[in-house]
Amino acid sequence: MKLYQSGGARNNLFKLLGMVLLISFLAVFCYAAIYAAPAWEPNVAYKVGDIVTYSGQNYQCIQAHTSLNGWEPPIVPALWKSVSGGTTPTPTRAATATPTRIATATPTRAVTATPTPAFRILPGQLEAEDYDAMSGIQTENCSEGGRNVGWIETGDWMDYNVTVSSTATYRAEYRVASTGTTGSFSLRRGTIVLASYTVPNTGGWQTWATVSSNVNLTAGAQTLRILATGTGWNINWLRFSLATQTPTPTSIITPTPTRAATPTPTRTATPTPTTPGTGPGTNRIIAGYWETWDGIATHPPVGHIPLNSTPLGYNVINVAFPILLSDGTCVLEAGAAPGELPPTPAEVAQAKAAGRKVLLSIGGAAAGIDLNSTAVADRFIATAIQVIDRYGFNGIDIDIETGLVAGPNWNTLSSSQANLIRIINGIVDHYGPGFMLTMAPETAYVTGGTIAYGGPWGAYLPVINAVKNKLTWLQMQYYNGSMYGKDGTGYPAGTVEGIVKQTEALIDGFTIAGSGGVIFSLPANKVVIGLPAAPGAGGGYASPAIVRSALSTLLAKYPNLRGLMTWSVNWDASHGYEFVNNYRPFLDNYGNVQ
């Protein structure tokens, strides 16, 4: 027997090994390429569990939705959570329930860290279990929903990577529970102790109380650590808000204006269709958005329409939109943007003389404003009043679709919410009770609050709450894809069921997610259904047969349902005025709102 191999055999063996290694490498490379998370994109229907990448970070979808610009994963935690690695989400620590909680030392304390930390913005709320690194703790199901951190012993810690928006004094709050009096902890930044706390005996591991104090935080990215200085306590969340910020009320019933003003009485349905400044009486509403630009390329063969060529079936016209400069200046002038051709003051006066109400619509998908700046808000108030005075508009319509996000919780306004309320009150209070106020938010901003409160989801609800007694009506857009009814079930746009369920949610009311049981609702005479005028005008176009069927159902249940809104008059013209010609006589058959 030969105890050696020939050189040729060895070479063949090396070639074979090389091929195996090459094939293995290619297999791994192809697997990674095939299963790499796709980049986040707008206008994509994501389902729960989908993984995307954005700015080098992976995110997992936690709520099914159709993405829009302004809903990028880092800024909508109600829709996405940061995960590490490829397509496998970061595992949740399993916690084994123990009948009696005993602070027994663990021989080797595990330390974990997220490879690519995501910095969350403060002011805001952090779930305790969403740490970026920790030592020794475990998590468990929480009686208040989600999970909490428990099994905490002296020396355990959790790190949270945050970005503090501005150097200021913040109110730091912690949701804690304990069955004893040995619990304590400190909040630290590096070696600096920012504050120390004692955890009270709350009477149970899932019986929660809030401890708090003021802390001074400096602006910028940093890591905050909760270090256990005592044993035997749980924590559910930690929250930071500006120490001078006043939370909004927990009830949706009583609005709290942010600007001093003469109280505005609740609007009634007194027929005063020709009195300047008041609502359009008890007539059923068909409100149309009138485009200030020539959109013939978008909806051929119709482009710009003279204001008073709009069919009289539209008894409310929303002039859309003024140009908004970066400093908040509101401009409505011919040539202010390419193709911009707003009506003249004489044309507005002529429309009003015909018994119609003409409103200035603020916002739109392409007209954003920096709602985080009070200076920008105040500049907008001052210049919008000048525009309204010049043209003689009957009121304003709020159609802000970008830049508005919810606060960290239902009881705390975000700066964008506070400044939008500031804008509305600043303009409406300037003119007094006769001035009209309508709002046209996308569905996610309103009925989206049935399943989540955060980012855009439910973000309009505190705003509506704060100005509810000044609101003439809400004309929510029913054409932004499927959305949730009051039962938390998703219903497709452009269907009888979708139109009915969205309207029922607004009038019957729905519980706002994460609000502690707050119910949002509006009277039927403050609800106007927003639908696209033609295919292509929006994602929820419905044929006249579908709309009439939905309206018949709704008007039988809510005789005072106010009417319809559409995007847009120009789209309707391109479709032979199908919208106004069908629904004006249909609504008129039901008589006036009582």
Side-chain angles (χ1 to χ4, degrees), residues 258-259 324 362-363 369-374 376-378 380-381 396-405 413-428 437-441 445 459-464 466-467 470:
T258 58
R259 292 172 65 93
L324 305 182
I362 298 162
I369 184 173
D370 182 7
L371 290 173
N372 292 310
S373 169
T374 300
V376 169
D378 288 346
F380 177 80
I381 293 168
I396 56 168
D397 170 66
I398 303 299
D399 187 21
I400 299 291
E401 297 180 16
T402 59
L404 182 70
V405 296
L413 291 175
S414 68
S415 58
S416 59
Q417 289 171 320
N419 280 322
L420 183 53
I421 294 169
R422 184 183 185 91
I423 286 171
I424 293 170
N425 283 330
I427 296 173
V428 175
L437 168 65
T438 64
M439 304 175 82
Y445 288 104
Y460 256 87
L461 295 173
V463 179
I464 299 169
V467 299
K470 302 174 185 177

Side-chain angles (χ1 to χ4, degrees), residues 65-83:
H65 67 285
T66 298
S67 58
L68 296 173
N69 285 318
W71 295 14
E72 290 78 7
I75 64 173
V76 279
L79 303 181
W80 299 95
K81 70 176 181 179
S82 174
V83 295

Side-chain angles (χ1 to χ4, degrees), residues 495-496 499-500 531 542-556 564 578-579 581-587 589-590:
T495 65
V496 172
I499 295 170
V500 169
L531 300 172
S543 68
I546 289 174
V547 175
R548 284 195 294 265
S549 177
L551 286 176
S552 295
T553 299
L554 290 168
L555 286 164
L564 297 174
E578 175 188 270
F579 193 93
N581 287 341
N582 272 277
Y583 308 132
R584 169 49 65 198
F586 182 88
L587 289 176
N589 284 336
Y590 282 85

Side-chain angles (χ1 to χ4, degrees), residues 142-168:
C142 179
S143 63
E144 295 188 323
R147 297 180 72 80
N148 63 264
V149 169
W151 283 270
I152 300 173
E153 302 172 11
T154 302
D156 291 353
W157 51 265
M158 296 86 74
D159 279 353
Y160 303 89
N161 298 319
V162 301
T163 297
V164 178
S165 299
S166 60
T167 298

